[in-house]
Amino acid sequence: MARIPRTGLTGRMTEHPILVTGGTGKSGSRVVSQLKNKGVRVRVGSRSGEPPFDWTDRSTWDAALEGVERVYVIPFDGELLTRPFVRRCEEVGVKRVVLLSGRGVDVAGYAGENSAAGKTHIDGEDAVRTCRLEWTIVRPAWFAQNFSEGFFLDAVRSGELRLPAGDGAASFVDAEDIAAVAVAALTENGHAGRIYELSGPRAVTLAEAAATISQATGRTVRYVPMLPEDFIAELVAEGWPQADAEDYADAVSPIRRGMDSHISSGVQQALGRPPRDFSDFVRIAAAAGGWPS
Ligand SMILES: NC(=O)c1ccc[n+]([C@@H]2O[C@H](COP(=O)([O-])OP(=O)(O)OC[C@H]3O[C@@H](n4cnc5c(N)ncnc54)[C@H](OP(=O)(O)O)[C@@H]3O)[C@@H](O)[C@H]2O)c1
């Protein structure tokens, strides 16, 4: 699919910093780097940022938004804070917001009723779609970087990826691609009112993911499928709160139920190029020392 031609950076953007909430996380840190590479001023929204930004402390919001016209919003899962934050953005003169959401927000039965991320994303998307700002929403599949920087990293290090995912597959998307789409939506015209569903170019089973990482790193990583109840009991025995363990199992369940293997075309639509393959992510992460002992 051809990409619609879009105009590039505007002069005003070099004057006004773009606020990147979650700017130290998997997609946010890459949005920060890619914006800086374009010569755009960036403010990192993080509890360790300057000024600090804390979702749970509204007294920090205004300083983070000072002089800002464009914001990348990575929500705070489990709380309904995107709505008041977007409202504050309207009040202080922000003009454009790009929201990171999640796959399945609009699919009945994708997430469980009590899913912390699900509730946050459904309310956050509604707040953004009904606000007065220019908006774009990105809905990514599971991030490939969960294996190197996120939920699955400890398991990969231990050599056993123990998950209740059955023999299901996910079309993991590279956080570099998520960031590239967000940067396009933040810096170009032509993305307003769009919802980009993002995935990688193919579905990868957990067993295939483990094998690819094994091959690239030379260390043995194997996938161990677990029953959801055993997975939850194991996490609780490790000290996890029951509700968090259930939430984790719930987040993985769409993979087991075959709801995460489809391919989404948002990277191609927004950037005019295909998404990066999972094996490229593994090769690059391994070369960068992504899985130290
Ligand atoms: N990971 C996936 O596969 C995936 C897939 C689809 C959607 N999502 C969505 O992506 C979003 C990010 O999730 P993630 O797990 O990938 O995390 P992440 O973006 O890698 O990291 C979380 C970020 O949130 C910031 N943060 C945490 N607590 C904060 C607070 N109280 N105030 C301000 N910032 C805070 C952290 O910054 P500091 O610690 O520096 O403050 C960090 O930058 C979530 O909404 C999730 O539902 C994730």
Side-chain angles (χ1 to χ4, degrees):
M1 188 187 308
R3 179 183 185 231
I4 305 157
R6 297 180 172 106
T7 53
L9 291 178
T10 65
R12 286 175 64 76
M13 279 175 37
T14 51
E15 300 159 24
H16 295 270
I18 294 181
L19 174 64
V20 179
T21 72
T24 55
K26 290 183 281 299
S27 76
S29 63
R30 290 170 169 84
V31 169
V32 169
S33 312
Q34 292 183 25
L35 285 172
K36 284 184 175 169
N37 287 343
K38 282 175 168 276
V40 177
R41 283 182 62 203
V42 184
R43 184 171 299 151
V44 176
S46 151
R47 289 165 294 179
S48 57
E50 185 52 54
F53 169 77
D54 189 336
W55 274 109
T56 63
D57 178 359
R58 295 189 193 199
S59 71
T60 66
W61 293 6
D62 279 9
L65 287 168
E66 175 77 36
V68 165
E69 292 190 345
R70 298 169 193 226
V71 185
Y72 180 51
V73 177
I74 296 185
F76 187 66
D77 286 357
E79 304 284 342
L80 303 185
L81 293 169
T82 304
R83 188 177 296 278
F85 184 71
V86 169
R87 177 63 49 82
R88 192 65 191 144
C89 288
E90 290 177 324
E91 289 165 355
V92 302
V94 171
K95 296 187 169 27
R96 181 180 296 191
V97 62
V98 176
L99 175 71
L100 183 85
S101 180
R103 172 179 261 186
V105 164
D106 59 341
V107 178
Y110 178 89
E113 270 176 35
N114 295 320
S115 160
K119 285 180 186 167
T120 299
H121 292 320
I122 288 169
D123 190 62
E125 282 204 11
D126 181 65
V128 164
R129 282 200 305 268
T130 54
C131 77
R132 297 193 304 270
L133 311 176
E134 287 181 352
W135 60 264
T136 306
I137 292 171
V138 289
R139 284 184 188 155
W142 281 88
F143 300 179
Q145 276 75 5
N146 289 319
F147 291 95
S148 56
E149 301 168 28
F151 305 111
F152 307 152
L153 176 57
D154 287 345
V156 170
R157 282 195 179 126
S158 78
E160 282 201 343
L161 195 53
R162 301 169 71 78
L163 287 170
D167 58 2
S171 50
F172 295 101
V173 60
D174 194 310
E176 291 288 351
D177 284 339
I178 302 170
V181 171
V183 166
L186 286 164
T187 61
E188 300 174 352
N189 294 322
H191 301 280
R194 302 292 305 268
I195 298 176
Y196 290 120
E197 300 264 358
L198 310 181
S199 80
R202 67 187 168 101
V204 178
T205 65
L206 274 298
E208 285 166 347
T212 308
I213 294 169
S214 290
Q215 205 169 18
T217 59
R219 50 198 290 173
T220 304
V221 184
R222 68 185 191 107
Y223 168 55
V224 181
M226 297 187 75
L227 292 172
E229 55 269 32
D230 293 345
F231 177 73
I232 292 166
E234 195 166 280
L235 292 183
V236 170
E238 285 170 18
W240 283 55
Q242 177 80 20
D244 291 358
E246 287 174 5
D247 204 39
Y248 192 173
D250 186 55
V252 173
S253 82
I255 302 180
R256 188 180 66 255
R257 292 181 285 127
M259 297 181 85
D260 259 329
S261 58
H262 58 286
I263 308 305
S264 306
S265 57
V267 172
Q268 182 73 40
Q269 288 168 11
L271 304 176
R273 63 159 174 84
R276 273 198 340 195
D277 192 75
F278 186 79
S279 56
D280 293 328
F281 149 72
V282 171
R283 185 175 44 75
I284 291 166
W291 290 285
S293 310

